[in-house]
């Protein structure tokens, strides 16, 4: 009850910010003119606001997008406000492992440094669907594509940090819904990646967001072991009505959001935690943590489990290096 009250009034935490803080406010004193950032899902919602604010602070931005036209339009809106901003739009479908590899190859050909990677894109597939690689599409988009993208870009991030002395940062956008998932992660993923299955869209989404949390935990441990000057943290942006709910637009969805309106954040408020974790100097050397309302907090019990994080990493490596359909073949 106390936590709910603090949330509703926007009480500041240890960071000096709270649930009512905006992305503009938490980056007020940031100078990002030497920063190159990749932001997935920057065409609308939280990702678009994150991109706008980082551009306002001087960052060079890379927009990977499945819908290139929408990304160009988002770029145009930002450039109209901040004409000096450099934004490069590139094609990327996170549900496709070949598309992820093509994007990384294209980015490397630009010979740019990479200081900041924000894995923001998210999808909530209400109908069961399987990606071209044989993976349930919500998991493929929200987690596995980002897992591969991050791994392929790590060398460049580590190199940029070594050359500049400025710590690289990776931000994984997850959700408090990750705590809704219970059970065996790998077994449930195997089940929902079959052509015919009993599909629960909310549980599948929770699985993908739990995977984001576990990815953060394991990646942080691995970066620390090799002494890389790169951190990784994950954030819960809060409850906000964005295009993530586009498949469920209508009277019922509008009614639910109306009834919970006191708990909803605006998009600038929802983008605040991402921007805080991506830019605030207080978070130098802070890694493997979970943030909400711009303050460190604790993920679910399963999300805090190191052995589950290690197990998921091992399975993910198999899925992105071998043919996933073969990996999920029960007779293989």
């Amino acid at each position: 009850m106390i936590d709910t009250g603090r949330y509703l009034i926007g009480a500041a935490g240890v960071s000096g910010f709270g649930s009512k803080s905006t992305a503009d406010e938490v980056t007020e004193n940031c100078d990002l003119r030497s920063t190159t950032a990749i932001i997935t899902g920057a065409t609308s919602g939280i990702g678009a606001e994150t991109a706008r604010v980082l551009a306002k602070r001087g960052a060079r931005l890379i927009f990977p997008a499945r819908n290139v036209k929408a990304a160009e339009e988002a770029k145009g809106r930002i450039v109209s406000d901040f004409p000096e901003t450099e934004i490069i739009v590139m094609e990327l479908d996170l549900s496709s492992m070949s598309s992820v590899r093509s994007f990384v190859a294209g980015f490397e050909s630009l010979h740019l440094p990479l200081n900041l990677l924000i894995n923001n894109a998210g999808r909530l597939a209400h109908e069961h669907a399987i990606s071209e690689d044989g993976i349930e599409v919500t998991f493929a988009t929200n987690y596995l594509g980002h897992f591969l993208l991050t791994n392929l870009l790590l060398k460049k991030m580590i190199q940029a940090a070594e050359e500049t002395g400025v710590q690289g940062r990776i931000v994984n956008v997850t959700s408090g819904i990750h705590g809704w998932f219970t059970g065996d992660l790998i077994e449930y993923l195997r089940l929902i990646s079959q052509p015919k299955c009993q599909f629960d869209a909310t549980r599948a989404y929770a699985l993908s967001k739990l995977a984001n949390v576990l990815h953060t935990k394991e990646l942080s441990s691995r970066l620390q072991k090799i002494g890389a000057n790169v951190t990784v943290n994950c954030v819960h942006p809060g409850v906000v009505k964005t295009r993530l709910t586009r498949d469920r637009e209508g009277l019922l969805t509008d009614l639910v959001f109306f009834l919970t309106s006191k708990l909803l954040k605006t998009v600038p408020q929802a983008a605040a935690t991402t921007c805080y974790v991506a830019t605030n100097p207080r978070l130098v050397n802070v890694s493997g943590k979970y943030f909400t309302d711009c303050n460190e907090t604790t993920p679910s019990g399963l999300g805090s489990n190191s052995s589950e994080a290690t197990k998921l990493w091992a399975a993910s490596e198999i899925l992105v290096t071998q043919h996933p359909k073969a990996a999920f073949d029960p007779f293989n």
Side-chain angles (χ1 to χ4, degrees):
M1 181 66 79
I2 293 175
D3 288 342
T4 301
R6 290 177 61 83
Y7 174 87
L8 289 173
I9 66 173
V14 174
S15 68
F17 303 108
S19 62
K20 302 300 183 184
S21 300
T22 67
D24 274 310
E25 291 168 350
V26 303
T27 61
E28 188 173 3
N29 298 315
C30 291
D31 182 351
L32 302 180
R33 285 175 292 180
S34 298
T35 297
T36 298
I38 292 177
I39 309 173
T40 67
T43 58
S44 64
I46 297 169
E49 176 65 3
T50 300
R52 183 193 70 81
V53 172
L54 296 187
K56 182 178 182 179
R57 305 308 178 200
R60 175 197 288 127
L61 304 177
I62 313 297
F63 281 6
R66 184 172 55 175
N67 186 334
V68 173
K69 180 181 178 182
E72 290 288 356
E73 291 171 351
K75 170 184 174 178
R77 289 191 292 270
I78 291 175
V79 172
S80 67
D81 289 336
F82 311 109
E84 301 300 317
T85 304
E86 180 183 356
I87 300 177
I88 301 171
V89 172
M90 302 179 67
E91 187 173 1
L92 171 63
D93 180 353
L94 281 162
S95 71
S96 164
M97 299 304 106
S98 64
S99 179
V100 172
R101 290 188 169 89
S102 294
F103 166 80
V104 172
F107 176 71
E108 289 179 340
S109 71
L110 300 176
H111 302 292
L112 294 172
L114 180 59
N115 313 103
L116 176 58
L117 172 62
I118 300 180
N119 292 320
N120 165 82
R123 179 174 183 176
L124 174 54
H126 293 279
E127 302 298 329
H128 183 241
I130 297 175
S131 74
E132 64 184 40
D133 300 296
I135 304 293
E136 189 278 319
V137 74
T138 299
F139 188 87
T141 303
N142 295 358
Y143 166 69
L144 195 61
H146 281 128
F147 172 85
L148 179 59
L149 177 68
T150 302
N151 279 12
L152 293 178
L153 291 171
L154 269 182
K155 183 178 179 180
K156 183 168 281 290
M157 292 197 74
I158 293 170
Q159 180 182 11
E162 288 176 348
E163 292 175 352
T164 64
V166 178
Q167 195 165 72
R169 296 192 185 188
I170 300 167
V171 182
N172 290 330
V173 179
T174 181
S175 169
I177 290 174
H178 81 272
W180 295 10
F181 185 87
T182 58
D184 188 317
L185 286 76
I186 307 303
E187 176 60 18
Y188 186 64
L189 177 60
R190 186 191 69 80
L191 289 173
I192 62 176
S193 293
Q194 303 299 324
K196 294 182 180 180
C197 70
Q198 286 189 324
F199 182 68
D200 182 328
T202 302
R203 192 171 188 224
Y205 183 72
L207 170 66
S208 72
K209 291 303 175 179
L210 173 61
N212 293 146
V213 177
L214 293 172
H215 177 214
T216 300
K217 188 173 185 64
E218 180 68 14
L219 177 57
S220 176
S221 175
R222 289 170 179 256
L223 288 170
Q224 290 175 30
K225 285 178 181 177
I226 64 173
N229 191 22
V230 177
T231 64
V232 54
N233 292 289
C234 59
V235 304
H236 166 48
V239 183
V240 60
K241 187 176 182 180
T242 69
R243 293 189 69 246
L244 187 65
T245 61
R246 59 187 173 271
D247 293 338
R248 281 289 187 267
E249 289 179 351
L251 181 60
L252 180 59
T253 300
D254 290 341
L255 178 60
V256 169
F257 275 103
F258 173 76
L259 294 175
T260 59
S261 61
K262 295 300 181 183
L263 298 176
L264 288 180
K265 287 186 174 184
T266 65
V267 170
Q269 290 169 348
T273 305
T274 299
C275 289
Y276 172 78
V277 173
T279 66
N280 196 278
R282 293 183 58 163
L283 298 186
V284 170
N285 296 328
V286 174
S287 190
K289 305 301 182 181
Y290 176 78
F291 289 81
T292 185
D293 299 334
C294 300
N295 287 276
E296 183 183 335
T297 186
T298 305
S300 70
L302 200 52
S304 302
N305 191 310
S306 296
S307 62
E308 289 291 338
T310 301
K311 183 171 73 172
L312 176 64
W313 185 285
S316 301
E317 284 187 324
I318 293 172
L319 293 177
V320 300
T321 56
Q322 298 181 5
H323 202 294
K325 291 180 180 177
F328 282 130
D329 184 351
F331 303 105
N332 186 33

